[in-house]
Amino acid sequence: MTRSEELYRKAGELIPGGVNSPVRAFRSVGMDPRFIKRARGSRIWDVDENEYIDLIGSWGPMIMGHGNMDVLEAVQKAIWDGLSFGAATEKEGEIAELITSSIPSVEMIRMVNSGTEAVMSAIRLARGFTGRDKIIKFQGCYHGHSDSMLVKAGSGAMTQGTPDSAGVPVGVSQDTLTAQYNNLNSLEQLFEANKDNIAAVIVEPVAANMGVVLPEQGFLSGIKALCEKHGALLIFDEVITGFRLAFGGAQEYFGIEADIVTYGKIIGGGMPVGAYGGRKDIMKKVAPLGPVYQAGTLSGNPIAMAAGLAQLKYLRENDWFYGALKDKGDSFFKEVDDILNGKGIAHTLNHISSLGSIFFTDKAVRNYEDAKTSDTDMFASFFRHMLDHGVLMAPSQFEAIFLSGSHGEEELKAVLKAVNSFKQQ
Ligand code: HOZ
């Protein structure tokens, strides 16, 4: 028995499914999970000392690769001053200044502990600001696991085939309406049928939790126009795209400003951090300035702030970073596409910069329904093949491939070689 198997067996007795987040259980790829011991750059090792090229990057945070020295040193320095104070610190002001001075729509920001918490708070804020209850989200977009967002959600919920979770009260889910991604008519119909009741529309500007699905020309600007017309707020969930597509995330990349933006992942440099921010008049509704309550003992935690600040400073100061990452992503995903085309394997490859997904379907993937046409058995066999050839991908069709600054030519060549040796079953 391998050490991973041993640990998984033991964890299964004590932790639901042996994991602390469902998709990590590898269930949809029909195997037991590998337990991870350590990672450096673009490489990751399991407890049996198997080495892989890591295409997960902790589901997004590790945009500079694992073990970046700036981040490690900042964390190491911070721990000696104390791990948590539950009080205001200088670093929280520094990170707020760094972000608000770089991202025009974010005039004020509040730090929390995860993307889920950021979204949950943003939704409450939108309701508190507008005095309306209903929220519109898009099918297949995932915004964390707060009750009101587990309606036709992507990511782990989609992977398990249970998009609507047990335990979500009907009363809560009734206030979440769902439109089709890339379909402005479906959004307009919801606005018309719920006049003056929509507090906000929340969207992943690039959907990355039903696999990667790109917004078509005019989709994001169309959402913004409909929100303005109907007096609803636009929330961009940039937990994945924030500080990834550009320093200013999807807002900068697509040139569209949202009213509220949520962040997570990269903003914490690998530590548990989320944030929500936006226009000052909206953010001033948050307690203690306003009536919308939100709090947290570990919010703005000094170690998490140190890690996040170090990562964000690096990304802002090195303006070549995003161009280089985009060039790398463009050429890598094109080569993957070419290889699969050369083999005659029906697939659709969606990608933007360092994010991408391979869907085993002959349909273009523009929304949740299209994503579900992907042959998930084929994905599972592709995943296992890649793992056997030293490449760790997200163990689900409905997640993304994440490249980082530390994936060099050697690693990407090795991944392409593994793709090249894949044979359709
Ligand atoms: N569903 C999460 C990513 N979209 C999974 C995160 C994790 O398991 O760490």
Side-chain angles (χ1 to χ4, degrees):
M1 192 189 285
T2 66
R3 182 82 180 124
S4 271
E5 284 165 351
E6 208 178 296
L7 292 175
Y8 184 49
R9 190 168 288 188
K10 194 166 170 198
E13 299 296 320
L14 306 169
I15 305 172
V19 290
N20 281 313
S21 187
V23 75
R24 297 179 196 176
F26 280 40
R27 289 199 167 192
S28 72
V29 291
M31 58 185 296
D32 289 347
R34 302 286 157 94
F35 276 57
I36 299 302
K37 188 171 179 191
R38 67 180 197 284
R40 257 296 182 275
S42 57
R43 312 264 173 165
I44 194 159
W45 288 264
D46 68 20
V47 287
D48 295 292
E49 288 299 333
N50 296 306
E51 178 179 329
Y52 310 95
I53 295 164
D54 180 21
L55 296 184
I56 304 180
S58 186
W59 310 86
M62 312 319 293
I63 190 165
M64 307 194 313
H66 296 278
N68 176 274
M69 282 316 284
D70 286 11
V71 177
L72 294 188
E73 277 169 13
V75 167
Q76 202 169 37
K77 194 157 167 254
I79 57 175
W80 297 104
D81 287 332
L83 298 181
S84 175
F85 312 123
T89 62
E90 188 173 348
K91 283 203 178 68
E92 291 164 271
E94 259 186 78
I95 203 165
E97 191 174 12
L98 184 96
I99 294 165
T100 54
S101 64
S102 321
I103 304 179
S105 78
V106 180
E107 293 173 345
M108 285 183 124
I109 188 156
R110 173 58 72 81
M111 291 290 156
V112 291
N113 298 290
S114 68
T116 289
E117 207 185 319
V119 168
M120 184 183 78
S121 310
I123 298 279
R124 184 179 304 141
L125 175 59
R127 287 176 165 149
F129 182 80
T130 58
R132 300 172 177 184
D133 286 342
K134 292 199 186 298
I135 302 290
I136 301 178
K137 75 179 282 290
F138 292 91
Q139 293 149 17
C141 282
Y142 180 73
H143 304 289
H145 62 91
S146 64
D147 282 355
S148 66
M149 290 294 101
L150 279 181
V151 179
K152 292 250 188 297
S155 189
M158 191 170 174
T159 306
Q160 295 210 120
T162 52
D164 305 309
S165 170
V168 175
V170 175
V172 171
S173 60
Q174 273 169 350
D175 281 332
T176 303
L177 311 173
T178 63
Q180 191 177 41
Y181 202 79
N182 278 324
N183 180 346
L184 287 173
N185 284 339
S186 71
L187 180 63
E188 190 152 25
Q189 280 165 19
L190 289 177
F191 268 122
E192 291 303 333
N194 295 274
K195 276 209 175 301
D196 301 328
N197 278 324
I198 306 296
V201 175
I202 183 164
V203 64
E204 284 184 89
V206 171
N209 287 285
M210 50 175 145
V212 171
V213 178
L214 306 189
E216 289 174 349
Q217 186 74 28
F219 177 58
L220 298 174
S221 56
I223 300 175
K224 184 171 163 96
L226 283 170
C227 284
E228 279 169 0
K229 179 174 166 197
H230 292 276
L233 299 183
L234 171 59
I235 306 175
F236 266 13
D237 180 342
E238 295 232 44
V239 168
I240 287 183
T241 51
F243 310 102
R244 176 164 286 276
L245 299 186
F247 192 81
Q251 292 194 104
E252 181 183 327
Y253 194 96
F254 296 110
I256 293 174
E257 285 190 5
D259 299 301
I260 305 178
V261 191
T262 60
Y263 296 111
K265 301 192 189 275
I266 290 174
I267 203 172
M271 300 293 283
V273 182
Y276 64 105
R279 273 185 5 229
K280 223 173 222 176
D281 60 323
I282 301 173
M283 291 302 289
K284 280 188 168 173
K285 295 286 178 205
V286 178
L289 289 183
V292 176
Y293 191 70
Q294 175 269 310
T297 300
L298 291 166
S299 295
N301 171 269
I303 314 306
M305 293 301 96
L309 253 179
Q311 175 144 286
L312 295 187
K313 271 188 188 160
Y314 179 93
L315 293 172
R316 192 168 78 164
E317 280 159 19
N318 292 283
D319 48 10
W320 52 268
F321 184 88
Y322 289 103
L325 192 60
K326 181 177 181 319
D327 289 348
K328 188 189 299 190
D330 287 349
S331 78
F332 170 74
F333 286 113
K334 183 180 178 311
E335 287 195 59
V336 172
D337 200 28
D338 288 349
I339 292 171
L340 294 174
N341 279 332
K343 290 176 173 292
I345 295 177
H347 74 282
T348 288
L349 198 151
N350 285 352
H351 110 272
I352 180 166
S353 184
S354 57
L355 278 177
S357 280
I358 306 159
F359 297 92
F360 293 103
T361 174
D362 51 11
K363 269 181 87 78
V365 179
R366 306 172 51 242
N367 57 41
Y368 181 67
E369 294 306 321
D370 298 337
K372 284 197 300 186
T373 65
S374 186
D375 180 343
T376 49
D377 290 337
M378 173 98 137
F379 177 85
S381 86
F382 183 68
F383 171 89
R384 292 192 297 263
H385 167 86
M386 295 301 280
L387 196 71
D388 284 347
H389 290 77
V391 179
L392 179 65
M393 298 173 61
S396 163
Q397 170 69 82
F398 306 113
E399 302 283 356
I401 292 169
F402 293 91
L403 297 182
S404 75
S406 68
H407 286 89
E409 221 171 284
E410 186 191 333
E411 286 86 16
L412 296 179
K413 268 197 182 142
V415 176
L416 293 170
K417 194 170 165 209
V419 174
N420 207 11
S421 60
F422 176 62
K423 289 189 183 62
Q424 191 167 354
Q425 308 288 311

